[in-house]
Amino acid sequence: MLHLFADPADMQDGLLTITGSEVNHIRNVLRMKPGDELDVSNGTDAKEYRYGIEMMDAEKIVCRLRFVKDSDVELPVKVYLFQGIPKSDKMDLIVQKCVELGVFSVIPVSMERCVAKIEPAKAQKKMQRWQKIAEAAAMQSKRRVIPKVAPPMTMKEAVAFARDNTDVRILPYELMKEDGSTKALLESIRPGSSVSVFIGPEGGFTTEEVAEAKEAGILPVSLGRRILRTETAGMTVLSWLIYILEIS
């Protein structure tokens, strides 16, 4: 069944009106017809809206609401990924895969060892690109919420946000010894919690950044015996949380 996101403004009085490029996709690519159903999300409330197609022409498709139900697709915790800005197009991959794995928000962070810098003149264009990638990944994975890619922060701003707005705060750090504490910490996280995950850039965190994070209650942890790439570490944490909260 086709899953798509719709603007809540287009979902009024039990009707959904679809316009734009989706009309051609639904009519001519998928060859759907009146009576067929659509699985719709409004991108904000994690509910499933099931619509049936009533009328379609070359300009628009009108659908009528059949039922609404709660969905269990979303990860039961809100994960904020504070990602040290990586080189090249690695951020594209990080946003795409972490959205598929259930991240709630991705925040690019300018850290001391970031080689890549987001120039102010190009920031808006990059944010729009990453947000489109997030929306496409949310649609592909049939999520109910479109994760937000937040504007870039400095490390100081990110640490303050995490301290003031999240319940559990971790910072995977390659110099930490694996002693079982990471597993115990992740297993202590309960549904409904908010979790901050700090991932360093290619060069890792400086000792000063780790110290600053620790002062704000952000705990350095180990992700195992191997050194992970910056684009792998966040996905690893999310995968662990899926296993702990949804599977085990």
Side-chain angles (χ1 to χ4, degrees), residues 77-116:
V77 296
K78 291 182 177 180
V79 179
Y80 293 80
L81 179 67
F82 294 88
Q83 174 66 52
I85 299 169
K87 296 185 293 185
S88 187
D89 58 356
K90 291 178 183 178
M91 196 68 169
D92 292 5
L93 177 68
I94 291 167
V95 171
Q96 181 188 62
K97 298 309 176 187
C98 288
V99 167
E100 290 178 16
L101 290 167
V103 77
F104 179 75
S105 181
V106 178
I107 302 98
V109 182
S110 178
M111 300 177 184
E112 185 68 27
R113 292 177 176 165
C114 287
V115 175

Side-chain angles (χ1 to χ4, degrees), residues 46-243:
K47 294 181 182 293
E48 175 187 347
Y49 294 80
R50 187 69 59 84
Y51 283 86
I53 297 175
E54 286 206 339
M55 184 280 290
M56 57 199 318
D57 59 29
E59 301 297 327
K60 66 179 183 294
I61 297 173
V62 178
C63 309
R64 184 170 296 278
L65 183 65
R66 292 184 174 174
F67 62 82
V68 182
K69 69 175 184 179
D70 291 328
S71 172
D72 61 357
V73 172
E74 293 301 315
L75 200 63
V77 296
K78 291 182 177 180
V79 179
Y80 293 80
L81 179 67
F82 294 88
Q83 174 66 52
I85 299 169
K87 296 185 293 185
S88 187
D89 58 356
K90 291 178 183 178
M91 196 68 169
D92 292 5
L93 177 68
I94 291 167
V95 171
Q96 181 188 62
K97 298 309 176 187
C98 288
V99 167
E100 290 178 16
L101 290 167
V103 77
F104 179 75
S105 181
V106 178
I107 302 98
V109 182
S110 178
M111 300 177 184
E112 185 68 27
R113 292 177 176 165
C114 287
V115 175
K117 306 293 181 183
I118 299 180
E119 299 175 17
K122 298 181 179 180
Q124 185 174 3
K125 186 175 181 180
K126 283 184 176 291
M127 299 305 302
Q128 290 173 344
R129 173 182 173 79
W130 291 334
Q131 192 60 55
K132 286 182 180 178
I133 290 173
E135 182 171 349
M139 186 178 299
Q140 183 276 323
S141 54
K142 296 193 174 181
R143 290 192 57 179
R144 299 297 163 188
V145 173
I146 302 174
K148 178 178 175 57
V149 181
M153 295 183 182
T154 64
M155 184 64 176
K156 183 176 181 179
E157 291 169 337
V159 166
F161 182 94
R163 180 196 62 214
D164 297 340
N165 295 280
T166 59
D167 305 310
V168 180
R169 300 170 287 276
I170 65 173
L171 183 150
Y173 187 39
E174 66 270 18
L175 298 184
M176 293 296 295
K177 298 288 187 180
E178 175 49 52
D179 58 3
S181 59
T182 304
K183 183 173 184 289
L185 175 61
L186 294 179
E187 288 180 342
S188 72
I189 297 173
R190 294 292 175 260
S193 301
S194 54
V195 182
S196 290
V197 180
F198 280 75
I199 303 297
E202 289 86 351
F205 295 102
T206 64
T207 55
E208 292 79 10
E209 287 172 334
V210 174
E212 180 183 9
K214 288 175 69 175
E215 287 181 6
I218 301 167
L219 302 178
V221 299
S222 169
L223 293 185
R225 300 174 184 175
R226 289 155 297 282
I227 302 299
L228 303 181
R229 290 178 180 271
T230 185
E231 62 266 37
T232 309
M235 300 180 207
T236 300
V237 175
L238 285 161
S239 297
W240 281 3
L241 289 172
I242 288 173
Y243 176 74

Side-chain angles (χ1 to χ4, degrees), residues 7-45:
D7 189 321
D10 295 329
M11 303 165 66
Q12 300 293 327
D13 301 321
L15 294 176
L16 166 65
T17 301
I18 301 171
T19 57
S21 60
E22 281 292 350
V23 174
N24 179 68
H25 181 67
I26 291 170
R27 291 182 73 233
N28 301 320
V29 178
L30 299 179
R31 297 186 180 279
M32 298 180 75
K33 58 187 183 299
D36 289 344
E37 289 191 336
L38 303 173
D39 175 8
V40 180
S41 300
N42 64 16
T44 58
D45 66 10

